[in-house]
Amino acid sequence: MIEILLFFIAASILLYVVLGGADYGAGILELLPLSQRQAKQRSVVNDAMGPVWEANHMWLILIVVILFMGFPPIFTMVMVHLHIPVVALLVGIVARGTAFTFRHYDAVHDVKSQRVYSLIFSLSSLWTTFWLGVLAGSLWQGRIDPEAQDFIGAYVAPWSGLVPVAMGCFTICICAFLAAVYLVGETKDPELKKYFWKRGFVFNVALICSGGLVFAAAYWEQSAFLTAFLQHPLSIACVVFATLLFFLLWQLLRRNQPLLVRLTAAAQVSLIIMGWFFAIAPAALMTPQGPVTFYQAAAPEATLRQLTYALCIGSALIFPSLFYLMKVFKLSGKSLQGDSTKNDGK
């Protein structure tokens, strides 16, 4: 039963990063200078995100619900000792969603208001992505101490340090890379395609460099994550294959094959996340007293059974609905072009 729930958690994290991460990255890309094509870029982002961006948060909600019901001690430790980065993350999600909604649906579309919405959307995308990485980096550095007696030790030390910061930068690069690569296939403008192509290349290189920064930070701080990673052959294999896909990805981009490019980019990021899973599983987080595994923190068998049944039934409803959503707004070629045109601030 626990293994099934772990599969749902892993699949939700994977889908949230691969699908939702690209949405965050689209906002980050808007922070980069684009001169006269800024309005067209926003239009492409609106068309790409508009129909599906709310659906991507379903995976984050699913992770929270599974931890809350199935593994309450882990949920409690994260929400208590990492509540500062969690609040920062939630503020970013709310600000980002609000700004994007107003940018798209505000009854008044003047240049000034659109600039304000776009700036909030872009900054909150960067802010939220960074804190997602900080949370991921905090889980395994061994500073979440349930026995801490002071405020700093209980609520600040768990997420401070070089590893969470490096993970925050790494997550920003992942999201920006996915967005740039995905957006290549969302436009027919050759100049904009070239722009996204270049941004994708830059962030793919930055992804590799920031990944090295995470390992360097883990080595400097003698993190248990580095030891766990190096001792697991599957983790090393995943990162090696992800790096090798770099060459395949850019060959496909040169041949202008957007679907294969997206699949390869998603596979590259998925391998990185799977390498992380293999290194830490079945532990969820590390404390000074030792690792806390999902098996140690599991709820009673009856609760796990009900949760598993609910997830299986829910999957039978969610996945066909998600496929239909994608088919209607993505695979059929429909877009929000008419709406997006007015969002350019013109």
Side-chain angles (χ1 to χ4, degrees):
M1 203 69 73
I2 292 177
E3 288 79 6
I4 297 174
L5 295 176
L6 288 181
F7 169 78
F8 275 105
I9 291 175
S12 298
I13 293 174
L14 204 62
L15 289 168
Y16 188 59
V17 175
V18 170
L19 299 177
D23 289 350
Y24 288 118
I28 296 170
L29 289 180
E30 289 193 13
L31 288 172
L32 303 177
L34 191 62
S35 64
Q36 300 89 351
R37 295 192 175 272
Q38 190 82 39
K40 272 197 169 183
Q41 181 187 350
R42 288 175 185 167
S43 175
V44 172
V45 170
N46 285 343
D47 289 345
M49 285 181 56
V52 297
W53 72 279
E54 287 176 294
N56 289 330
H57 286 300
M58 169 182 65
W59 309 114
L60 183 61
I61 296 169
L62 201 57
I63 295 166
V64 172
V65 170
I66 295 174
L67 290 179
F68 177 73
M69 288 194 64
F71 310 97
I74 294 173
F75 177 86
T76 302
M77 277 192 269
V78 170
M79 291 301 167
V80 171
H81 296 285
L82 298 177
H83 75 273
I84 294 176
V86 167
V87 169
L89 171 72
L90 294 176
V91 168
I93 290 175
V94 172
R96 180 176 175 276
T98 305
F100 183 77
T101 301
F102 274 98
R103 187 170 85 165
H104 205 78
Y105 297 107
D106 192 1
V108 180
H109 283 266
D110 58 86
V111 174
K112 188 176 179 182
S113 66
Q114 286 297 308
R115 282 179 181 168
V116 172
Y117 298 147
S118 294
L119 183 62
I120 295 174
F121 170 68
S122 300
L123 290 176
S124 57
S125 295
L126 183 70
W127 169 272
T128 308
T129 309
F130 175 76
W131 287 109
L132 272 173
V134 168
L135 278 171
S138 303
L139 295 177
W140 199 252
Q141 64 171 356
R143 296 181 181 176
I144 299 175
D145 188 359
E147 299 177 3
Q149 300 298 315
D150 59 285
F151 179 84
I152 298 297
Y155 307 121
V156 178
W159 54 273
S160 60
L162 292 177
V163 174
V165 172
M167 278 294 289
C169 297
F170 183 59
T171 309
I172 289 172
C173 292
I174 286 179
C175 295
F177 161 68
L178 285 174
V181 171
Y182 287 0
L183 288 172
V184 169
E186 294 286 340
T187 178
K188 294 181 180 177
D189 185 328
E191 289 300 318
L192 212 49
K193 273 182 178 287
K194 189 177 178 181
Y195 167 80
F196 289 132
W197 191 96
K198 286 182 178 177
R199 290 294 182 263
F201 181 80
V202 168
F203 277 106
N204 203 176
V205 174
L207 179 63
I208 295 172
C209 295
S210 58
L213 186 64
V214 172
F215 286 112
Y219 176 78
W220 179 263
E221 295 195 335
Q222 299 182 336
S223 169
F225 170 75
L226 184 61
T227 305
F229 180 87
L230 294 177
Q231 288 179 345
H232 207 299
L234 283 176
S235 296
I236 298 173
C238 285
V239 172
V240 170
F241 279 119
T243 307
L244 292 177
L245 283 178
F246 174 87
F247 302 101
L248 175 62
L249 178 71
W250 295 105
Q251 286 298 323
L252 293 171
L253 267 175
R254 287 193 180 92
R255 296 175 185 175
N256 193 25
Q257 296 179 308
L259 180 59
L260 290 178
V261 165
R262 291 178 180 186
L263 292 176
T264 306
Q268 198 174 21
V269 173
S270 300
L271 282 169
I272 293 171
I273 297 172
M274 287 170 63
W276 180 61
F277 286 151
F278 286 132
I280 67 171
L285 50 86
M286 176 70 80
T287 69
Q289 294 78 33
V292 178
T293 69
F294 285 98
Y295 293 97
Q296 294 170 332
E301 182 70 19
T303 304
L304 296 181
R305 190 181 308 114
Q306 298 299 323
L307 179 59
T308 304
Y309 292 158
L311 287 171
C312 291
I313 294 171
S315 298
L317 300 173
I318 288 173
F319 284 103
S321 303
L322 189 63
F323 175 77
Y324 185 67
L325 180 73
M326 293 292 182
K327 182 182 177 184
V328 169
F329 289 104
K330 293 293 181 182
L331 302 181
S332 65
K334 292 182 179 179
S335 71
L336 301 177
Q337 188 64 42
D339 289 338
S340 60
T341 303
K342 63 183 180 181
N343 293 331
D344 301 343
K346 295 177 179 178

